[in-house]
Amino acid sequence: MSPGRATVRSWLIWLTAVTVYLLAVFHRTSFGVAGLQAAERFGVGAAALGTFTVLQVGVYAAMQIPTGVLVDRYGPRRVLTAAVLILGLGQLLLGVASTYGVGLLARGVLGLGDALTFVSVLRLVAAHFPRRQYALLTSFTSAVGYVGNLAATVPLTLLLDGPGWTVTFLAVGAITVLYTIPVLLRVRDTPLGVPEPVREPVRPAELGRRVRTAWRVPGTRLGFWVHFTTMFAPNVLTLLWGVPFLVQGQGLPPATASALLTVFVFGSMAGGPLLGTLIGRRPSLRMPLVGGYLGGAALVWAVLLGWSGPLPMGVLVPAFAFLALGGPASMIGFALARDYNPMERVGTATGVVNVGGFVATTITALAVGVLLQWTGGNFRLALLAVVAVLALGTARMLVWWRRARAHLFAAEARGEAVPVRIRRRSWDAVAERAVAA
């Protein structure tokens, strides 16, 4: 049961927890500006460089469902503590890595630590804040995470050019490990006066049942495809291929390229709270907003890949600013998981949804690297992988949007409470007949 109102204690707990997410995003996106140095340090080409991100994001995606179950089983405080330690150790290992294999291991460890953070923070939000504030706090969480993304652009570039690879990554790894102290002292799983839930061990059969139950909920499935489709493209650019595309594909200096990536950060930081406030007040606008973003993204990619010659700043900046809204739009997937699942299954459902965008990111990052290798570094052809994944995700999302609407109307007809009321359209009839059958 969500509390009626949030207390100062709840806000302090969220602030402490969301700082872990900020650190995780910093570590996650650090290769966005360190990629060229990593290629030189480890002596690898485009496909091997893409493997760093594929491994890290692949570990992240694979751990989302287990993380949701771990959060439901052990509580977000313990999981966040483990996350901070693992993140710090991974970055320390990367700082001393001098071979490709050790570098891959370090990024895999970072992916594991990163995987434990976001679902844990959202579980704390669900426990400490009223339902009507969930979308807003989710957007705030995402916006704070982009501060970590910002720190992983120009500031990190300057540090890598100054003190260098080893000193930079050892320092940020040590700072991360030390942050376990505030997490242990401040974070609590439940509000004051609410007893800790009884958490039973999760057997393998029970784990499978929980995941299947969450996956069968049309709202969860819709949230998965919303997340899959909206957040992968900005992720692919900020995590790995943004700077190489701008430097090698557009001929920009590295400092200018890393500065351009801050457009994603500021766009997401500005758009997240605005979107969260809007859908918190009018939940019925969630899917129309997602549809509007996806239509605009298709147009943006048509311009970026169809432009003749180098792209001018007057095109790159607004294009990146619009694509940046994919991060805030992906938060709608978590709101769907929260609305359509009981509290004891929210962690698992959130983990299921969070798999979506990172599976898409993994597939696309690998495909871009392979296509770059095959085409001799032609970014216009390689980035067509983004368009293909965008089309796939949009098609699947539309299928589950109609099915989720049909299930909502059916529940409403039975007299059950529904999280949001929507207007029936003529094209809902086919989906309703399919559900009834």
Side-chain angles (χ1 to χ4, degrees), residues 33 153-154 157-158 161 243 246-247 252-262:
V33 298
T153 53
V154 177
T157 300
L158 295 175
D161 289 341
V243 167
L246 294 170
V247 173
L252 296 176
T256 304
S258 61
L260 265 175
L261 292 189
T262 63

Side-chain angles (χ1 to χ4, degrees), residues 162-291:
W165 178 286
T166 299
V167 173
T168 297
F169 287 126
L170 287 180
V172 297
I175 291 169
T176 303
V177 170
L178 289 174
Y179 194 71
T180 54
I181 298 172
V183 173
L184 288 169
L185 292 177
R186 176 61 64 185
V187 175
R188 294 295 179 269
D189 291 341
T190 57
L192 279 174
V194 177
E196 290 281 342
V198 177
R199 296 188 171 101
E200 307 250 341
V202 180
R203 299 178 180 86
E206 173 67 12
L207 169 60
R209 187 191 67 79
R210 284 193 184 196
V211 174
R212 287 193 301 272
T213 301
W215 182 246
R216 281 197 296 264
V217 175
T220 304
R221 199 84 65 97
L222 175 59
F224 173 92
W225 287 108
V226 166
H227 197 261
F228 180 101
T229 312
T230 51
M231 67 94 66
F232 82 96
N235 250 15
V236 166
L237 292 174
T238 56
L239 286 175
L240 182 62
W241 293 118
V243 167
F245 164 63
L246 294 170
V247 173
Q248 298 172 349
Q250 297 297 311
L252 296 176
T256 304
S258 61
L260 265 175
L261 292 189
T262 63
V263 173
F264 285 98
V265 179
F266 291 118
S268 299
M269 290 175 66
L274 289 174
L275 185 65
T277 301
L278 179 60
I279 64 177
R281 292 176 179 173
R282 297 191 61 186
S284 60
L285 290 178
R286 293 187 298 205
M287 291 310 299
L289 288 170
V290 170

Side-chain angles (χ1 to χ4, degrees), residues 343-425:
M343 182 64 71
E344 64 270 14
R345 204 171 61 226
V346 165
T348 302
T350 302
V352 170
V353 169
N354 208 24
V355 169
F358 290 94
V359 166
T361 301
T362 304
I363 294 170
T364 309
L366 179 60
V368 170
V370 171
L371 288 172
L372 282 173
Q373 202 83 9
W374 285 352
T375 61
N378 189 321
F379 275 93
R380 293 187 190 279
L381 292 178
L383 289 172
L384 286 173
V386 176
V387 178
V389 175
L390 182 67
L392 169 66
T394 301
R396 297 307 301 164
M397 187 199 72
L398 289 173
V399 168
W400 284 99
W401 184 17
R402 295 180 65 191
R403 292 183 184 180
R405 288 172 64 91
H407 279 269
L408 192 69
F409 293 136
E412 197 172 18
R414 293 192 297 268
E416 299 174 8
V418 295
V420 58
R421 294 189 180 278
I422 54 178
R423 182 180 300 177
R424 184 180 273 102
R425 305 291 183 182

